[in-house]
Amino acid sequence: MATIETQDLRERIGRFRVLIVGRANAGKTTILQKVCNTTDQPEIYDTKGNKIDTAIVESSIKRGNHNITDEMVFRSNPTFVFHDSCGFEAGSEEEFENMKKFISERGHATKLEERIHAIWYCIPMDDHCRTFQRSEEKFFWECDTGHVPVVAVFTKFEALRPVAYGEIKKELQGVSAKERSERIAKGVEELFTKTGILDQLCNPENRARPKSCVRLQKMHETGTNCNTLLEHTTFALDTEELRLCLVWTQKSNMELCIKILVDHAEKQIDHERYQYDIAKWFPHIKVRRRLIQSDDSLVMVLTDGKYQSAETVDILICFL
């Protein structure tokens, strides 16, 4: 069962809010679909909760009129709320100022449910010679994101592989498949380093610097997911409350729940109330708790209460 703390968190924060930034064709919509485990398009609402016709929104974007305050929500997981910055990347100074204002206001909003909790900046790697363009310069040099963590997301990372292969193609003749794969992988890393993108992102003169970086590839393929992005975002958050909110919001990634629990347990678990400290990191399932005590360890069994048959799922957590 969810703890009192988690229930209170749901009431205070409600939904996890993300601002996604990036040029056109950076793969932003695909990322959001993967995060929410859907192929559907998002529903869009204004600040008053009124649903907006998607055709009207698309028409406005084409005319250069975009309202960053509009909320994108997927039916598959309405506890995620997304805002799209599209507009300033094309060179609109007005849209850039609107985005800066939005981050400033929503980053310090009095009501927790109105705050943005994370920023995902998407940088496509299919044009590796122009990874850091004027739009990236403006954002990272001029935009003060305050306490809102920025995660740099390198999308379409698979595009570097054929380029790396082309540079060493002649050297690969006659080598084993294993060595071939290793050399191409090394070439990808060298090519990525040559772009200089990490140095530019981490420039100490930048007002905004990413707290984490994620590589995503083949997002257009079935079976891929954004678990790595969710994990990096969770660890980039400053407070346990926000981590709990994201863990609860993402719902499906049990591995993330366990990783956060282990990290939390190593740092500050209160053994007198360990049942709550553990169970709260699994808020999206109903949990029945069983304890097994031995001489040298404590084992806690979290049982997914939604299963009513022999298929019951148990999670064993050991404290040595």
Side-chain angles (χ1 to χ4, degrees):
M1 59 183 293
T3 68
I4 295 176
E5 291 89 343
T6 303
Q7 293 173 353
D8 179 61
L9 183 68
R10 294 181 185 184
E11 294 176 357
R12 290 189 297 113
I13 299 182
R15 300 182 294 176
F16 194 84
R17 195 176 294 271
V18 177
L19 169 64
I20 188 164
V21 187
R23 305 190 294 269
N25 299 316
K28 293 180 292 182
T29 300
T30 301
I31 288 173
L32 302 187
Q33 289 172 325
K34 292 287 185 177
V35 167
C36 293
N37 194 28
T38 185
T39 56
D40 295 336
Q41 292 298 311
E43 296 179 340
I44 301 177
Y45 298 85
D46 63 20
T47 55
K48 296 181 179 180
N50 300 314
K51 188 175 181 179
I52 305 174
D53 190 315
T54 305
I56 295 177
V57 175
E58 292 177 350
S59 176
S60 297
I61 292 175
K62 290 179 180 179
R63 295 195 306 270
N65 301 320
H66 171 68
N67 193 340
I68 194 173
T69 63
D70 288 345
E71 301 177 349
M72 295 188 294
V73 178
F74 292 89
R75 287 186 178 183
S76 60
N77 192 344
T79 48
F80 266 119
V81 180
F82 302 104
H83 296 269
D84 190 347
S85 70
C86 64
F88 92 89
E89 298 88 353
S92 170
E93 188 65 31
E94 181 180 358
E95 291 287 356
F96 180 70
E97 292 302 322
N98 288 340
M99 185 198 63
K100 287 173 58 177
K101 180 181 178 182
F102 176 81
I103 292 176
S104 177
E105 292 179 349
R106 291 299 188 96
H108 302 87
T110 303
K111 295 182 179 180
L112 294 177
E113 66 270 20
E114 294 182 356
R115 290 183 186 176
I116 52 171
H117 305 120
I119 299 173
W120 294 340
Y121 200 109
C122 301
I123 302 174
M125 301 304 296
D126 54 352
D127 186 0
H128 68 281
C129 295
R130 301 177 66 247
T131 55
F132 205 77
Q133 299 183 17
R134 178 55 181 161
S135 54
E136 282 73 40
E137 291 179 356
K138 286 180 66 64
F139 179 88
F140 289 99
W141 288 358
E142 303 179 28
C143 194
D144 183 4
T145 59
H147 295 292
V148 182
V150 178
V151 178
V153 187
F154 302 116
T155 64
K156 304 181 180 181
F157 203 81
E158 72 276 6
L160 295 182
R161 185 176 176 84
V163 179
Y165 169 73
E167 293 181 352
I168 60 175
K169 183 178 180 180
K170 294 181 179 180
E171 302 173 16
L172 298 177
Q173 295 179 3
V175 303
S176 66
K178 180 180 179 182
E179 184 177 352
R180 174 192 179 96
S181 179
E182 291 175 349
R183 287 196 186 183
I184 294 176
K186 181 180 179 181
V188 168
E189 293 302 319
E190 292 176 350
L191 185 61
F192 180 64
T193 300
K194 288 178 182 178
T195 66
I197 184 67
L198 291 179
D199 292 335
Q200 292 169 307
L201 289 174
C202 298
N203 186 332
E205 296 183 3
N206 291 349
R207 298 193 71 184
R209 276 177 280 176
K211 291 194 67 174
S212 190
C213 297
V214 177
R215 303 174 180 183
L216 296 181
Q217 51 188 339
K218 300 182 179 180
M219 285 293 103
H220 59 285
E221 295 185 3
T222 303
T224 54
N225 59 60
C226 285
N227 288 351
T228 302
L229 173 58
L230 291 172
E231 179 180 332
H232 280 250
T233 303
T234 302
F235 281 104
L237 297 169
D238 291 330
T239 67
E240 179 182 315
E241 288 74 20
L242 288 178
R243 287 185 176 187
L244 270 171
C245 182
L246 180 51
V247 167
W248 169 67
T249 301
Q250 59 86 33
K251 294 184 179 180
S252 60
N253 189 352
M254 187 66 69
E255 182 180 352
L256 175 59
C257 297
I258 295 173
K259 285 183 177 180
I260 297 297
L261 164 63
V262 172
D263 179 73
H264 174 69
E266 290 177 346
K267 293 179 180 178
Q268 56 185 13
I269 193 166
D270 181 351
H271 289 281
E272 292 184 358
R273 48 195 309 277
Y274 53 82
Q275 296 185 58
Y276 288 121
D277 282 328
I278 293 174
K280 69 184 179 182
W281 295 104
F282 298 86
H284 56 281
I285 60 176
K286 295 181 180 179
V287 174
R288 297 196 300 272
R289 290 159 296 186
R290 295 188 280 120
L291 300 176
I292 304 173
Q293 180 72 58
S294 67
D295 293 338
D296 58 355
S297 66
L298 171 67
V299 178
M300 183 172 183
V301 184
L302 302 184
T303 302
D304 190 339
K306 69 183 179 182
Y307 291 93
Q308 301 297 326
S309 66
E311 297 178 358
T312 296
V313 175
D314 286 347
I315 304 165
L316 299 178
I317 301 172
C318 302
F319 298 93
L320 301 179

